[in-house]
Amino acid sequence: MAMHSRFGTRTLVMMALLTAMEIVLSRFLSFSAWNMKIGFAFVPLAAAAILFGPAEAAVVGGLSDLLGALLVPVGPYFPGFTLTAACMGAVLGLLLHKKQSLARVCCAVGFNLLVLSLLVNSLWISILYGSPYGGIVAARLVQCAILAPVQVCVIGAMARVFQPMLRRAAAQG
């Protein structure tokens, strides 16, 4: 008797593609300073969350950070960032996998940017570089202010584009 795997071949291939896309967008196509990054690396993570759910999105987020740090390092590896990236995927998946609305998108983006990116990642930067936490948070507020409306608009548009695909998949069982 074969066991049914949640991570089927098609899902694993899509997760691998989204992981590769996130690495490219994060490492090569983002504006980065030592304490902030602005770009579209959130797009593959949000796609994994909407299409597959929290576990799969957490894997895409964590693997993207780990593989990106190993393949294209931009500083010393710190596992806290990998944990945060996985948590970001899980949050997006929990709020956006089964039902998308403007309120859910805003909650997911708000939690990820304000709690995980601003507070938690700033803590990791402070620990890693020995910089004052308050100063890092203050500097990274600009990043959140820029990314919040962009992420809400892009993820909201993605959710609308994926709706027909999700309905077909649900109808097929």
Side-chain angles (χ1 to χ4, degrees):
M1 177 191 274
M3 293 188 67
H4 176 68
S5 173
R6 178 175 180 171
F7 294 91
T9 304
R10 180 173 284 160
T11 301
L12 286 174
V13 169
M14 285 297 297
M15 288 170 60
L17 177 64
L18 292 168
T19 298
M21 288 172 58
E22 197 281 337
I23 291 169
V24 170
L25 288 170
S26 175
R27 303 292 169 157
F28 300 109
L29 300 175
S30 294
F31 167 76
S32 294
W34 76 273
N35 65 345
M36 78 172 84
K37 183 184 289 189
I38 296 175
F40 288 92
F42 67 90
V43 172
L45 190 59
I50 293 168
L51 295 172
F52 304 118
E56 293 86 346
V59 169
V60 168
L63 271 178
S64 296
D65 184 79
L66 178 64
L67 292 174
L70 294 174
L71 297 172
V72 189
V74 291
Y77 174 72
F78 188 79
F81 294 118
T82 303
L83 176 63
T84 303
C87 288
M88 286 180 166
V91 167
L92 287 168
L94 286 169
L95 288 168
L96 302 178
H97 177 54
K98 296 290 183 182
K99 184 178 179 185
Q100 303 87 35
S101 67
L102 181 58
R104 286 175 166 262
V105 171
C106 288
C107 285
V109 168
F111 186 85
N112 277 354
L113 285 178
L114 295 176
V115 175
L116 295 175
S117 181
L118 183 64
L119 299 178
V120 176
N121 275 351
S122 294
L123 176 64
W124 303 146
I125 293 168
S126 176
I127 291 169
L128 188 59
Y129 294 105
S131 301
Y133 178 72
I136 293 170
V137 169
R140 290 170 52 86
L141 277 170
V142 173
Q143 173 183 316
C144 289
I146 292 169
L147 286 177
V150 172
Q151 286 191 14
V152 168
C153 291
V154 171
I155 293 171
M158 284 174 45
R160 285 189 298 279
V161 168
F162 289 153
Q163 279 303 315
M165 185 186 323
L166 294 170
R167 278 195 285 272
R168 278 194 304 272
Q172 291 175 351

